[in-house]
Amino acid sequence: LSGCDSGFGQATARHLDIMGFRVFASVLDLQSPGAQELRQSCSTRLTLLQMDLTKKEDIQRVLQHIQAHTNSTGLWGLVNNAGFNDTIADAELSPLGKFRTCMEVNFFGSLELTKGLLPLLRSAGGRIVTVSSPAGDMPFPCLAAYGASKAALSLVMDTFRSELQPWGIKVSLILPGYYKTGTTCDPAFWNLQKQRLLASLPQELLQAYGEDYVEEINQQFIQFMKVAVEDLSAVVNSITEGLLAANPAVRYYPGQGLGIMYFIHRYLPYFVRDLFLKGFFINPKLPRALRREHHKDVKKA
């Protein structure tokens, strides 16, 4: 179970431990408050492992540890939960490095871990449950880097689902609504990210979009955070069902508003979906270079 420092990972690790399972829970930092909390609240069956999904050596160390402890039994379940995003901005404004980091954690890290554990999962005829995102299915405004990595993750897991059927392995995707997890709901974190983004933008881009454009996106996102759901149980229950149900669903959609969102996405014209996503999430103002007052200023000059 990856990404157990906070949020879904931490809540699921605790839930599975209470149910009596032997849980291998990976955290970024063994001394983090989340890791300490798991140590205190869980039984001695739970093993905490340090892993940064961008580091090959970390993944290899975790794989070796799990192999050594499950060789005779095989591994029943893998939960790919670790995820990363620290950019809320248009694709053009998002540095290429941010796209790469999202791909490294959300796609390549999870892929490497999955491939490494597949021999153990095959021997047990086990389960793979992966937390993806509706942002990997739809073009949420200002989430291109995160969404692109989750789209790749969803597709590769769907491919695994099809290819691993002969081995008796069942593969499920979890596509949660918006929940309060880790730094995702800390306005101070996002304000700092906004400042870093503004400082890194080329002058021409800053001129074209305007600093107030980036400020407005950040303000709208901080407002959106207020609707984040604190009770994570719907997601934990979906993950648990993916691991334990005789016939788990291919996709789980825990969270409010996702039914209508996917209905619009599948059956209505693209412009309706785009309007809905802007109304639901972020609706950026016009970039500076497209505003009427800017054109007046240019003419005066």
Side-chain angles (χ1 to χ4, degrees), residues 44-120:
T44 51
R45 283 187 307 275
L46 182 124
T47 306
L48 279 175
L49 301 166
Q50 191 279 323
M51 179 173 66
D52 179 339
L53 279 173
T54 64
K55 294 182 177 161
K56 225 174 180 53
E57 60 274 21
D58 280 19
I59 295 174
Q60 287 308 312
R61 193 184 63 247
V62 165
L63 289 175
Q64 283 163 8
H65 181 95
I66 294 173
Q67 279 157 2
H69 289 83
T70 60
N71 241 339
S72 56
T73 57
L75 181 69
W76 174 253
L78 162 64
V79 180
N80 289 305
N81 166 69
F84 172 84
N85 180 44
D86 69 350
T87 308
I88 304 292
D90 292 49
E92 187 177 12
L93 298 177
S94 305
L96 211 54
K98 298 294 186 187
F99 281 85
R100 287 203 172 96
T101 308
C102 278
M103 287 300 286
E104 281 298 328
V105 179
N106 303 339
F107 178 70
F108 286 111
S110 296
L111 176 60
E112 190 173 345
L113 188 63
T114 303
K115 280 170 71 69
L117 291 172
L118 267 175
L120 291 167

Side-chain angles (χ1 to χ4, degrees), residues 222-243:
I222 285 169
Q223 274 300 113
F224 178 73
M225 279 181 207
K226 292 175 181 170
V227 306
V229 178
E230 290 199 34
D231 179 6
L232 309 183
S233 59
V235 180
V236 173
N237 292 339
S238 294
I239 293 171
T240 307
E241 192 179 315
L243 287 171

Side-chain angles (χ1 to χ4, degrees), residues 4-280:
C4 296
D5 299 80
S6 62
F8 305 142
Q10 190 192 41
T12 304
R14 195 182 300 116
H15 182 65
L16 293 172
D17 179 72
I18 289 166
M19 288 178 79
F21 289 97
R22 184 170 189 195
V23 179
F24 297 95
S26 86
V27 291
L28 252 182
D29 178 6
L30 287 169
Q31 302 312 315
S32 69
Q36 305 276 26
E37 204 177 302
L38 281 177
R39 264 193 207 96
Q40 285 156 15
S41 65
C42 293
S43 74
T44 51
R45 283 187 307 275
L46 182 124
T47 306
L48 279 175
L49 301 166
Q50 191 279 323
M51 179 173 66
D52 179 339
L53 279 173
T54 64
K55 294 182 177 161
K56 225 174 180 53
E57 60 274 21
D58 280 19
I59 295 174
Q60 287 308 312
R61 193 184 63 247
V62 165
L63 289 175
Q64 283 163 8
H65 181 95
I66 294 173
Q67 279 157 2
H69 289 83
T70 60
N71 241 339
S72 56
T73 57
L75 181 69
W76 174 253
L78 162 64
V79 180
N80 289 305
N81 166 69
F84 172 84
N85 180 44
D86 69 350
T87 308
I88 304 292
D90 292 49
E92 187 177 12
L93 298 177
S94 305
L96 211 54
K98 298 294 186 187
F99 281 85
R100 287 203 172 96
T101 308
C102 278
M103 287 300 286
E104 281 298 328
V105 179
N106 303 339
F107 178 70
F108 286 111
S110 296
L111 176 60
E112 190 173 345
L113 188 63
T114 303
K115 280 170 71 69
L117 291 172
L118 267 175
L120 291 167
L121 288 160
R122 281 193 286 106
S123 72
R127 305 289 171 87
I128 300 169
V129 178
T130 300
V131 179
S132 188
S133 168
D137 285 332
M138 290 173 246
F140 276 72
C142 305
L143 277 185
Y146 177 72
S149 67
K150 289 293 194 178
L153 179 68
S154 292
L155 187 91
V156 82
M157 289 301 158
D158 213 17
T159 308
F160 273 134
R161 181 190 55 75
S162 170
E163 293 173 350
L164 294 172
Q165 271 174 342
W167 295 95
I169 293 177
K170 292 184 164 69
V171 181
S172 299
L173 273 179
I174 314 286
L175 297 114
Y178 192 54
Y179 287 86
K180 198 166 186 169
T181 60
T183 53
T184 57
C185 286
D186 178 5
F189 171 80
W190 291 108
N191 277 315
L192 178 62
Q193 294 309 118
K194 176 201 67 188
Q195 296 301 343
R196 285 178 176 161
L197 177 68
L198 286 169
S200 74
L201 285 178
Q203 200 53 38
E204 187 275 324
L205 267 185
L206 199 53
Q207 284 294 316
Y209 280 86
E211 192 169 324
D212 60 335
Y213 179 90
V214 178
E215 290 278 357
E216 170 75 6
I217 285 168
N218 194 63
Q219 282 312 308
Q220 284 194 34
F221 181 63
I222 285 169
Q223 274 300 113
F224 178 73
M225 279 181 207
K226 292 175 181 170
V227 306
V229 178
E230 290 199 34
D231 179 6
L232 309 183
S233 59
V235 180
V236 173
N237 292 339
S238 294
I239 293 171
T240 307
E241 192 179 315
L243 287 171
L244 300 180
N247 290 298
V250 171
R251 285 179 158 223
Y252 290 91
Y253 300 94
Q256 294 167 324
L258 293 180
I260 183 77
M261 191 186 293
Y262 274 91
F263 176 82
I264 291 168
H265 172 58
R266 287 193 183 119
Y267 300 111
L268 298 185
Y270 284 127
F271 80 90
V272 177
R273 181 199 61 189
D274 293 350
L275 281 172
F276 176 83
L277 289 176
K278 283 176 179 172
F280 171 75

